[in-house]
Amino acid sequence: MSPTSADKIAEQLAAVPELDASTIGVFAGVDGDQAVVNLDGNQLRVPALGAHWPIVGDGVRLLRVGKTYLLLGPVKQRATVGKVLTAGSPRCTVEYPPGSGVSDLMGYPTNVTPAVGDVVLIDWQGEAAGTVVAVVTAAAGQVTPVPPPPPPSGGSGRQTFTAIDSGSFQGRWWTNKVYASASNKSAFFYGSKVGDTLPNDAVIDAISIYLSPERNSGNQPRIGTHGYQSNPGGQPVINNLVSLANASGWVPLPTSFGDQLKAGAQWGVGFDGAGFAIFRGTQQDGQAGALDITWHT
């Protein structure tokens, strides 16, 4: 039977990359045509969707599409209207927005001489600071937001938790890479952010880990949970071990792992004693070991 138009539309929609929950990083600069963003101790180079670069040090929102992060823009928009506190050349001191107590030195057009008390328009395009683009007689009025409707009972969430550190132990912690082998115990560490974020009454719908293998051979690697927010210094204990038939890309994990992590009974995941796989660590891949968790309450 030939496919219907509805079947074709469904196939096209299935091919659209999945959009994951956004996360917050810090803008660190520009490398060619990519933004450099610090995220949980890792430095990523990602495409930017905005019309101009954020300012270095800005909190920025990232969206993962498939295996790629995209920079959407700054988390907090800066005020575009300010008031001149002190005149000067080549910069004047501008408070933004007026009455906030927050001020900065800003340049201005050569055909304008801002005076104390002037209301000015600010352009934030650039990597260092804002620039006065015009002196105006008054700022535009603000529209009062419409209050939101009351939230429904219950809720759901999805978030990606990147690892803050990783490593392998063989008599000592000897590499940032994560080895799944008979002679190593290894782990990804996340601090306390997974347990701090997931509600205690959350029902875990799905949990996956991002694995970036340099080598994947031998028996199936065994992954489990551990009780460390950071490197314990000594040999780690890996609990709740299961074997992974596939250990590349986004790999599903038992939802029971999420139950352990949400309650703080365990804080991360690791490998113990099977296979001979070598996975990139946090120093080689900013997404290495990232956990993608979906839940509802």
Side-chain angles (χ1 to χ4, degrees):
M1 185 171 65
S2 60
T4 65
S5 58
D7 293 331
K8 293 179 179 178
I9 292 173
E11 291 177 1
Q12 292 172 348
L13 291 175
V16 175
E18 184 178 0
L19 299 181
D20 291 343
S22 63
T23 189
I24 306 300
V26 176
F27 184 68
V30 179
D31 184 3
D33 60 353
Q34 291 193 309
V36 181
V37 179
N38 293 333
L39 179 64
D40 294 330
N42 303 308
Q43 195 163 83
L44 311 179
R45 282 158 178 78
V46 302
L49 301 183
H52 56 83
W53 297 113
I55 292 175
V56 172
D58 275 353
V60 291
R61 193 173 301 280
L62 299 169
L63 177 69
R64 199 185 73 222
V65 182
K67 298 180 181 179
T68 303
Y69 277 107
L70 300 175
L71 190 154
L72 301 181
V75 174
K76 183 177 181 180
Q77 299 295 327
R78 284 183 167 83
T80 55
V81 175
K83 183 177 181 180
V84 177
L85 297 182
T86 59
S89 178
R91 294 180 177 86
C92 60
T93 302
V94 178
E95 181 185 39
Y96 59 94
S100 67
V102 178
S103 64
D104 204 351
L105 287 170
M106 300 184 185
Y108 48 86
T110 56
N111 62 341
V112 174
T113 305
V116 174
D118 280 350
V119 177
V120 296
L121 300 183
I122 306 169
D123 180 13
W124 290 103
Q125 295 189 40
E127 298 178 43
T131 301
V132 171
V133 294
V135 176
V136 295
T137 57
Q142 298 294 317
V143 177
T144 302
V146 177
S153 58
S156 62
R158 182 177 185 178
Q159 188 160 330
T160 300
F161 302 91
T162 55
I164 61 173
D165 193 12
S166 60
S168 295
F169 185 94
Q170 188 181 46
R172 61 186 176 86
W173 292 94
W174 65 279
T175 178
N176 179 258
K177 296 179 182 180
V178 173
Y179 277 63
S181 72
S183 58
N184 282 271
K185 293 189 177 184
S186 57
F188 290 104
F189 303 99
Y190 308 87
S192 64
K193 57 186 175 180
V194 181
D196 290 346
T197 301
L198 297 179
N200 291 335
D201 61 347
V203 177
I204 306 300
D205 298 313
I207 176 172
S208 298
I209 185 171
Y210 183 76
L211 297 174
S212 177
E214 288 187 356
R215 172 175 176 169
N216 200 350
S217 60
N219 296 327
Q220 294 179 355
R222 297 191 304 171
I223 192 171
T225 61
H226 65 72
Y228 314 103
Q229 295 183 17
S230 59
N231 188 310
Q235 177 173 286
V237 176
I238 311 299
N239 307 299
N240 307 306
L241 288 163
V242 297
S243 296
L244 293 180
N246 168 48
S248 180
W250 286 102
V251 181
L253 298 176
T255 55
S256 59
F257 280 24
D259 291 329
Q260 293 286 322
L261 297 173
K262 77 177 183 183
Q266 302 280 270
W267 293 106
V269 297
F271 292 89
D272 183 3
F276 187 28
I278 305 172
F279 301 107
R280 293 178 178 87
T282 55
Q283 295 175 4
Q284 294 82 43
D285 186 336
Q287 289 192 79
L291 295 175
D292 180 85
I293 305 177
T294 303
W295 72 90
H296 73 272
T297 56

